[in-house]
mmCIF file of all heavy atoms in Angstrom:
data_model
loop_
_atom_site.group_PDB
_atom_site.id
_atom_site.type_symbol
_atom_site.label_atom_id
_atom_site.label_comp_id
_atom_site.label_asym_id
_atom_site.label_seq_id
_atom_site.Cartn_x
_atom_site.Cartn_y
_atom_site.Cartn_z
ATOM 1 N N VAL A 15 14.548 53.309 -48.889
ATOM 2 C CA VAL A 15 15.278 53.819 -47.764
ATOM 3 C C VAL A 15 16.447 53.011 -47.499
ATOM 4 O O VAL A 15 16.369 51.780 -47.526
ATOM 5 C CB VAL A 15 14.338 53.886 -46.581
ATOM 6 C CG1 VAL A 15 15.118 54.381 -45.323
ATOM 7 C CG2 VAL A 15 13.114 54.790 -46.781
ATOM 8 N N ILE A 16 17.646 53.677 -47.375
ATOM 9 C CA ILE A 16 18.863 53.062 -47.076
ATOM 10 C C ILE A 16 19.323 53.479 -45.696
ATOM 11 O O ILE A 16 19.577 54.564 -45.484
ATOM 12 C CB ILE A 16 19.879 53.368 -48.154
ATOM 13 C CG1 ILE A 16 19.468 53.092 -49.554
ATOM 14 C CG2 ILE A 16 21.190 52.707 -47.902
ATOM 15 C CD1 ILE A 16 20.132 53.802 -50.628
ATOM 16 N N GLU A 17 19.421 52.446 -44.775
ATOM 17 C CA GLU A 17 19.763 52.707 -43.365
ATOM 18 C C GLU A 17 21.049 51.789 -42.926
ATOM 19 O O GLU A 17 20.918 50.635 -43.131
ATOM 20 C CB GLU A 17 18.596 52.553 -42.545
ATOM 21 C CG GLU A 17 18.857 52.493 -40.940
ATOM 22 C CD GLU A 17 19.538 53.777 -40.486
ATOM 23 O OE1 GLU A 17 19.159 54.897 -40.901
ATOM 24 O OE2 GLU A 17 20.503 53.653 -39.673
ATOM 25 N N MET A 18 21.963 52.432 -42.360
ATOM 26 C CA MET A 18 23.184 51.618 -41.834
ATOM 27 C C MET A 18 22.897 50.778 -40.676
ATOM 28 O O MET A 18 23.542 49.665 -40.669
ATOM 29 C CB MET A 18 24.294 52.581 -41.565
ATOM 30 C CG MET A 18 24.866 53.327 -42.798
ATOM 31 S SD MET A 18 26.450 54.176 -42.439
ATOM 32 C CE MET A 18 27.609 52.855 -42.248
ATOM 33 N N ALA A 19 22.006 51.153 -39.815
ATOM 34 C CA ALA A 19 21.735 50.288 -38.645
ATOM 35 C C ALA A 19 20.839 49.121 -39.134
ATOM 36 O O ALA A 19 20.545 48.983 -40.239
ATOM 37 C CB ALA A 19 20.878 51.137 -37.608
ATOM 38 N N ASN A 20 20.568 48.282 -38.167
ATOM 39 C CA ASN A 20 19.906 46.989 -38.494
ATOM 40 C C ASN A 20 18.357 47.130 -38.529
ATOM 41 O O ASN A 20 17.620 46.312 -38.775
ATOM 42 C CB ASN A 20 20.183 45.841 -37.484
ATOM 43 C CG ASN A 20 19.774 46.219 -36.083
ATOM 44 O OD1 ASN A 20 19.322 47.215 -35.819
ATOM 45 N ND2 ASN A 20 19.934 45.251 -35.191
ATOM 46 N N ARG A 21 17.860 48.463 -38.409
ATOM 47 C CA ARG A 21 16.379 48.795 -38.416
ATOM 48 C C ARG A 21 16.311 50.296 -38.543
ATOM 49 O O ARG A 21 17.169 51.029 -38.244
ATOM 50 C CB ARG A 21 15.818 48.324 -37.178
ATOM 51 C CG ARG A 21 16.366 48.832 -35.881
ATOM 52 C CD ARG A 21 15.765 48.148 -34.606
ATOM 53 N NE ARG A 21 16.461 48.512 -33.414
ATOM 54 C CZ ARG A 21 15.949 49.459 -32.458
ATOM 55 N NH1 ARG A 21 14.878 50.060 -32.847
ATOM 56 N NH2 ARG A 21 16.579 49.622 -31.358
ATOM 57 N N ILE A 22 15.076 50.729 -39.054
ATOM 58 C CA ILE A 22 14.675 52.197 -39.165
ATOM 59 C C ILE A 22 14.598 52.850 -37.801
ATOM 60 O O ILE A 22 14.363 52.060 -36.812
ATOM 61 C CB ILE A 22 13.618 52.465 -40.110
ATOM 62 C CG1 ILE A 22 12.362 51.599 -39.594
ATOM 63 C CG2 ILE A 22 13.956 51.947 -41.457
ATOM 64 C CD1 ILE A 22 11.083 51.990 -40.473
ATOM 65 N N ILE A 23 14.440 54.055 -37.726
ATOM 66 C CA ILE A 23 14.377 54.864 -36.494
ATOM 67 C C ILE A 23 15.010 54.089 -35.313
ATOM 68 O O ILE A 23 14.244 53.664 -34.392
ATOM 69 C CB ILE A 23 12.937 55.329 -36.144
ATOM 70 C CG1 ILE A 23 11.891 54.089 -36.177
ATOM 71 C CG2 ILE A 23 12.531 56.355 -37.152
ATOM 72 C CD1 ILE A 23 10.550 54.443 -35.613
ATOM 73 N N PRO A 24 16.305 53.875 -35.393
ATOM 74 C CA PRO A 24 17.039 53.086 -34.355
ATOM 75 C C PRO A 24 16.997 53.540 -32.951
ATOM 76 O O PRO A 24 17.161 52.730 -32.042
ATOM 77 C CB PRO A 24 18.427 52.867 -34.931
ATOM 78 C CG PRO A 24 18.603 54.085 -35.839
ATOM 79 C CD PRO A 24 17.261 54.338 -36.400
ATOM 80 N N ALA A 25 16.606 54.775 -32.737
ATOM 81 C CA ALA A 25 16.553 55.319 -31.403
ATOM 82 C C ALA A 25 15.295 54.855 -30.694
ATOM 83 O O ALA A 25 15.163 54.962 -29.424
ATOM 84 C CB ALA A 25 16.547 56.878 -31.405
ATOM 85 N N MET A 26 14.289 54.442 -31.455
ATOM 86 C CA MET A 26 13.022 53.955 -30.843
ATOM 87 C C MET A 26 13.159 52.442 -30.439
ATOM 88 O O MET A 26 14.080 51.747 -30.731
ATOM 89 C CB MET A 26 11.901 54.021 -31.920
ATOM 90 C CG MET A 26 11.540 55.525 -32.324
ATOM 91 S SD MET A 26 10.627 56.268 -31.033
ATOM 92 C CE MET A 26 10.248 57.949 -31.841
ATOM 93 N N ASP A 27 12.077 52.003 -29.801
ATOM 94 C CA ASP A 27 12.077 50.611 -29.295
ATOM 95 C C ASP A 27 12.066 49.695 -30.515
ATOM 96 O O ASP A 27 11.496 49.930 -31.573
ATOM 97 C CB ASP A 27 10.753 50.340 -28.505
ATOM 98 C CG ASP A 27 10.718 49.042 -27.878
ATOM 99 O OD1 ASP A 27 10.262 48.076 -28.596
ATOM 100 O OD2 ASP A 27 11.019 48.932 -26.741
ATOM 101 N N GLN A 28 12.889 48.601 -30.413
ATOM 102 C CA GLN A 28 13.130 47.711 -31.498
ATOM 103 C C GLN A 28 11.852 47.122 -31.986
ATOM 104 O O GLN A 28 11.546 46.981 -33.171
ATOM 105 C CB GLN A 28 13.965 46.502 -31.021
ATOM 106 C CG GLN A 28 14.334 45.587 -32.135
ATOM 107 C CD GLN A 28 15.355 44.512 -31.739
ATOM 108 O OE1 GLN A 28 16.108 44.816 -30.824
ATOM 109 N NE2 GLN A 28 15.434 43.423 -32.307
ATOM 110 N N GLU A 29 10.921 46.707 -31.098
ATOM 111 C CA GLU A 29 9.603 46.084 -31.441
ATOM 112 C C GLU A 29 8.772 47.093 -32.280
ATOM 113 O O GLU A 29 8.249 46.672 -33.352
ATOM 114 C CB GLU A 29 8.887 45.562 -30.195
ATOM 115 C CG GLU A 29 7.850 44.644 -30.522
ATOM 116 C CD GLU A 29 7.224 44.010 -29.136
ATOM 117 O OE1 GLU A 29 7.674 44.459 -28.115
ATOM 118 O OE2 GLU A 29 6.386 43.115 -29.248
ATOM 119 N N VAL A 30 8.762 48.382 -31.826
ATOM 120 C CA VAL A 30 8.013 49.375 -32.499
ATOM 121 C C VAL A 30 8.630 49.629 -33.879
ATOM 122 O O VAL A 30 7.893 49.852 -34.922
ATOM 123 C CB VAL A 30 8.032 50.653 -31.683
ATOM 124 C CG1 VAL A 30 7.408 51.845 -32.509
ATOM 125 C CG2 VAL A 30 7.233 50.513 -30.458
ATOM 126 N N SER A 31 9.960 49.612 -34.022
ATOM 127 C CA SER A 31 10.709 49.911 -35.206
ATOM 128 C C SER A 31 10.276 48.782 -36.212
ATOM 129 O O SER A 31 10.086 49.170 -37.397
ATOM 130 C CB SER A 31 12.197 49.938 -34.945
ATOM 131 O OG SER A 31 12.879 50.064 -36.176
ATOM 132 N N LYS A 32 10.362 47.618 -35.814
ATOM 133 C CA LYS A 32 10.124 46.497 -36.795
ATOM 134 C C LYS A 32 8.609 46.573 -37.224
ATOM 135 O O LYS A 32 8.355 46.297 -38.430
ATOM 136 C CB LYS A 32 10.415 45.220 -36.202
ATOM 137 C CG LYS A 32 11.866 45.009 -35.826
ATOM 138 C CD LYS A 32 12.722 44.757 -37.064
ATOM 139 C CE LYS A 32 14.203 44.488 -36.826
ATOM 140 N NZ LYS A 32 15.001 44.306 -38.006
ATOM 141 N N GLU A 33 7.786 46.897 -36.451
ATOM 142 C CA GLU A 33 6.341 46.973 -36.753
ATOM 143 C C GLU A 33 6.093 48.069 -37.846
ATOM 144 O O GLU A 33 5.345 47.992 -38.771
ATOM 145 C CB GLU A 33 5.423 47.112 -35.451
ATOM 146 C CG GLU A 33 3.984 47.071 -35.801
ATOM 147 C CD GLU A 33 3.456 45.732 -36.314
ATOM 148 O OE1 GLU A 33 4.205 44.741 -36.052
ATOM 149 O OE2 GLU A 33 2.496 45.737 -37.094
ATOM 150 N N LEU A 34 6.675 49.212 -37.589
ATOM 151 C CA LEU A 34 6.616 50.350 -38.434
ATOM 152 C C LEU A 34 7.212 50.013 -39.760
ATOM 153 O O LEU A 34 6.653 50.358 -40.903
ATOM 154 C CB LEU A 34 7.265 51.601 -37.829
ATOM 155 C CG LEU A 34 7.219 52.821 -38.799
ATOM 156 C CD1 LEU A 34 5.798 53.355 -39.044
ATOM 157 C CD2 LEU A 34 8.021 53.937 -38.131
ATOM 158 N N GLU A 35 8.203 49.237 -39.878
ATOM 159 C CA GLU A 35 8.896 48.921 -41.141
ATOM 160 C C GLU A 35 7.920 48.020 -41.952
ATOM 161 O O GLU A 35 7.843 48.157 -43.175
ATOM 162 C CB GLU A 35 10.241 48.066 -40.905
ATOM 163 C CG GLU A 35 10.868 47.676 -42.133
ATOM 164 C CD GLU A 35 12.253 47.051 -41.877
ATOM 165 O OE1 GLU A 35 12.836 47.288 -40.752
ATOM 166 O OE2 GLU A 35 12.641 46.210 -42.730
ATOM 167 N N LYS A 36 7.214 47.122 -41.234
ATOM 168 C CA LYS A 36 6.236 46.271 -41.883
ATOM 169 C C LYS A 36 5.113 47.084 -42.544
ATOM 170 O O LYS A 36 4.696 46.884 -43.732
ATOM 171 C CB LYS A 36 5.568 45.338 -40.947
ATOM 172 C CG LYS A 36 6.470 44.201 -40.424
ATOM 173 C CD LYS A 36 5.702 43.306 -39.442
ATOM 174 C CE LYS A 36 6.624 42.327 -38.855
ATOM 175 N NZ LYS A 36 5.907 41.507 -37.828
ATOM 176 N N ILE A 37 4.627 48.154 -41.794
ATOM 177 C CA ILE A 37 3.470 48.890 -42.321
ATOM 178 C C ILE A 37 4.019 49.833 -43.387
ATOM 179 O O ILE A 37 3.285 49.893 -44.481
ATOM 180 C CB ILE A 37 3.096 49.874 -41.109
ATOM 181 C CG1 ILE A 37 2.442 49.053 -40.031
ATOM 182 C CG2 ILE A 37 2.060 50.803 -41.635
ATOM 183 C CD1 ILE A 37 2.088 49.735 -38.720
ATOM 184 N N LEU A 38 5.196 50.368 -43.378
ATOM 185 C CA LEU A 38 5.655 51.189 -44.502
ATOM 186 C C LEU A 38 6.002 50.340 -45.738
ATOM 187 O O LEU A 38 5.773 50.838 -46.873
ATOM 188 C CB LEU A 38 6.964 51.964 -43.978
ATOM 189 C CG LEU A 38 6.808 52.873 -42.866
ATOM 190 C CD1 LEU A 38 8.153 53.582 -42.561
ATOM 191 C CD2 LEU A 38 5.823 54.031 -43.241
ATOM 192 N N THR A 39 6.306 49.121 -45.558
ATOM 193 C CA THR A 39 6.540 48.260 -46.638
ATOM 194 C C THR A 39 5.297 47.950 -47.476
ATOM 195 O O THR A 39 5.176 47.881 -48.638
ATOM 196 C CB THR A 39 7.355 46.866 -46.181
ATOM 197 O OG1 THR A 39 8.521 47.215 -45.579
ATOM 198 C CG2 THR A 39 7.463 45.994 -47.312
ATOM 199 N N LYS A 40 4.208 47.803 -46.597
ATOM 200 C CA LYS A 40 2.924 47.583 -47.214
ATOM 201 C C LYS A 40 2.439 48.786 -47.969
ATOM 202 O O LYS A 40 1.607 48.587 -48.888
ATOM 203 C CB LYS A 40 1.883 47.191 -46.112
ATOM 204 C CG LYS A 40 2.071 45.736 -45.471
ATOM 205 C CD LYS A 40 0.987 45.462 -44.391
ATOM 206 C CE LYS A 40 1.114 44.146 -43.790
ATOM 207 N NZ LYS A 40 0.221 43.913 -42.709
ATOM 208 N N LYS A 41 2.795 49.976 -47.574
ATOM 209 C CA LYS A 41 2.528 51.182 -48.265
ATOM 210 C C LYS A 41 3.392 51.396 -49.568
ATOM 211 O O LYS A 41 3.153 52.337 -50.219
ATOM 212 C CB LYS A 41 2.635 52.354 -47.420
ATOM 213 C CG LYS A 41 1.701 52.432 -46.169
ATOM 214 C CD LYS A 41 1.994 53.650 -45.277
ATOM 215 C CE LYS A 41 1.035 53.747 -44.092
ATOM 216 N NZ LYS A 41 -0.284 54.073 -44.526
ATOM 217 N N GLY A 42 4.219 50.326 -49.847
ATOM 218 C CA GLY A 42 5.043 50.430 -51.091
ATOM 219 C C GLY A 42 6.516 50.908 -50.956
ATOM 220 O O GLY A 42 7.231 50.937 -51.889
ATOM 221 N N MET A 43 6.835 51.301 -49.705
ATOM 222 C CA MET A 43 8.285 51.727 -49.542
ATOM 223 C C MET A 43 9.244 50.546 -49.528
ATOM 224 O O MET A 43 8.898 49.496 -48.979
ATOM 225 C CB MET A 43 8.497 52.597 -48.273
ATOM 226 C CG MET A 43 7.652 53.886 -48.367
ATOM 227 S SD MET A 43 7.686 54.730 -46.795
ATOM 228 C CE MET A 43 9.421 55.177 -46.531
ATOM 229 N N ILE A 44 10.352 50.694 -50.163
ATOM 230 C CA ILE A 44 11.484 49.555 -50.073
ATOM 231 C C ILE A 44 12.444 50.032 -48.928
ATOM 232 O O ILE A 44 13.008 51.260 -49.098
ATOM 233 C CB ILE A 44 12.100 49.486 -51.421
ATOM 234 C CG1 ILE A 44 11.135 48.956 -52.437
ATOM 235 C CG2 ILE A 44 13.301 48.415 -51.318
ATOM 236 C CD1 ILE A 44 11.655 49.084 -53.793
ATOM 237 N N ILE A 45 12.718 49.234 -48.047
ATOM 238 C CA ILE A 45 13.629 49.495 -46.931
ATOM 239 C C ILE A 45 14.781 48.565 -46.980
ATOM 240 O O ILE A 45 14.479 47.303 -46.901
ATOM 241 C CB ILE A 45 12.851 49.507 -45.594
ATOM 242 C CG1 ILE A 45 11.761 50.646 -45.669
ATOM 243 C CG2 ILE A 45 13.821 49.738 -44.397
ATOM 244 C CD1 ILE A 45 10.849 50.696 -44.426
ATOM 245 N N LYS A 46 16.060 49.078 -46.989
ATOM 246 C CA LYS A 46 17.258 48.379 -46.894
ATOM 247 C C LYS A 46 18.008 48.782 -45.689
ATOM 248 O O LYS A 46 18.413 49.853 -45.638
ATOM 249 C CB LYS A 46 18.150 48.650 -48.259
ATOM 250 C CG LYS A 46 17.447 48.108 -49.568
ATOM 251 C CD LYS A 46 18.412 48.365 -50.656
ATOM 252 C CE LYS A 46 17.792 47.930 -52.013
ATOM 253 N NZ LYS A 46 17.666 46.466 -52.049
#
């Protein structure tokens, strides 16, 4: 996943966004 903002789903709460990124990374997704 390639995202221009500093986090995924940037419209959501920052803490939630960062936690979701950790979970998706554990599932094997690469997030840039």
